């Protein structure tokens, strides 16, 4: 199991299925978003929070589907051990979360309104905000409970993105280096398609960061990277079957 699944199953006294536990968690997230929006008058932030909870919900569903699908594959032990036993997805999630927090609380306030050099390569002009994102969403004095819940939801999203990255990498590695059984090609490709679907679901965040060049390029770059890596794995799989 991935670390997240292990935590859900290890909660003392809990007798919920992974699906029920994750559904309950996400419901509590959304209730918290709406309660804080009502209590602090932060309805603009509620829309962004709901979008993040949606991404976490889609990620949770696909994480369960991908986990179950990978566990039933007729795959080499090396493939399964890399995917579930290495905990690399946690490392990737931590790196993504630290980068996000650094951007929100250090980079964005220091460079707000500046033009990002890489933004000039974008196919369409990227507008620039003159207000840091945290201030724009939560005001000049962000309420502590709101920031706490926001970071918790963002960690949930980052963890699922870390899992997505690792699935794509292991899938491509398996196609290139491991003796995958040809009769399981459809199952391996289905996993890649689900992974790309989750990456595309993250584009619902774009309207809320469209004037944040660094975040916008990071999200779109991540989606493109998953598409390219998973697409390469699918192409190699078809070529291997045809050989």
């Amino acid at each position: 199991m991935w670390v997240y699944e292990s935590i859900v199953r290890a909660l003392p006294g809990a007798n919920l299925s992974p699906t029920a536990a994750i559904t309950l968690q996400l419901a509590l997230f959304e209730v918290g978003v709406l309660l804080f929006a009502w209590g602090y008058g932060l309805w603009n932030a509620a829309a962004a929070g709901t979008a993040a909870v949606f991404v976490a919900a889609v990620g949770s569903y696909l994480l369960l589907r991908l986990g179950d699908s990978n566990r039933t594959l007729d795959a080499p032990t090396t493939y399964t051990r890399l995917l579930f036993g290495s905990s690399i997805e946690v490392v990737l999630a931590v790196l993504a979360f630290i980068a996000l927090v650094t951007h929100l609380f250090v980079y964005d306030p220091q460079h707000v309104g500046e033009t990002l050099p890489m933004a000039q390569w974008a196919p369409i002009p990227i507008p620039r905000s003159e207000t840091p994102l945290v201030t724009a969403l939560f005001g000049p004095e962000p309420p502590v409970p709101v920031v706490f819940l926001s970071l918790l939801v963002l960690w949930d999203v980052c963890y699922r993105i870390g899992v997505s990255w690792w699935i794509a990498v292991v899938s491509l590695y398996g196609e290139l280096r491991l003796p995958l059984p040809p009769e399981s090609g459809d199952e391996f490709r289905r996993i890649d398609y689900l992974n790309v679907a989750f990456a595309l679901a993250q584009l619902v965040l774009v309207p809320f960061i469209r004037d944040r060049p660094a975040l916008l390029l990071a999200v779109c770059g991540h989606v493109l990277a998953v598409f390219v890596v998973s697409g390469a794995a699918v192409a190699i799989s078809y070529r291997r079957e045809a050989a």
Side-chain angles (χ1 to χ4, degrees), residues 9 12 35 50-51 56 74 87 91 100 122 156-158 160 180-181 184 190 200-201 218 221 225 231 238:
R9 294 178 185 272
L35 282 178
T50 298
D74 180 18
S87 298
V91 177
L100 177 61
D156 223 42
V157 172
C158 286
R160 282 151 179 76
L180 301 181
S184 299
R190 188 176 298 112
L200 293 175
Y238 275 120

Side-chain angles (χ1 to χ4, degrees), residues 125-200:
I126 301 177
R128 296 171 297 163
S129 174
E130 299 297 330
T131 306
L133 183 57
V134 172
T135 302
L137 290 176
F138 307 133
E141 296 182 2
V144 173
V146 173
V147 174
F148 177 85
L149 178 62
S150 300
L151 292 178
L152 187 60
V153 173
L154 289 174
W155 160 253
D156 223 42
V157 172
C158 286
Y159 177 80
R160 282 151 179 76
I161 288 175
V163 174
S164 178
W165 285 344
W166 191 232
I167 289 173
V169 170
V170 173
S171 178
L172 182 58
Y173 176 80
E175 295 292 345
L176 289 172
R177 302 295 299 274
L178 299 179
L180 301 181
E183 62 274 10
S184 299
D186 288 341
E187 287 77 8
F188 280 103
R189 289 190 290 271
R190 188 176 298 112
I191 289 170
D192 290 317
Y193 296 146
L194 285 172
N195 198 23
V196 171
F198 173 50
L200 293 175

Side-chain angles (χ1 to χ4, degrees), residues 48-110:
T50 298
V53 172
F54 168 79
V55 173
V58 173
S60 295
Y61 169 74
L62 292 181
L63 183 146
L64 291 175
R65 286 282 306 276
L66 291 167
D68 292 341
S69 297
N70 274 291
R71 277 187 283 268
T72 57
L73 280 174
D74 180 18
T77 303
T78 302
Y79 176 91
T80 306
R81 186 172 63 248
L82 278 174
L83 194 60
F84 294 106
S86 60
S87 298
I88 294 298
E89 85 279 1
V90 178
V91 177
L92 296 174
V94 169
L95 292 175
F97 185 69
I98 291 175
L100 177 61
V101 170
T102 302
H103 179 276
L104 290 176
F105 296 103
V106 180
Y107 180 87
D108 193 31
Q110 291 181 0

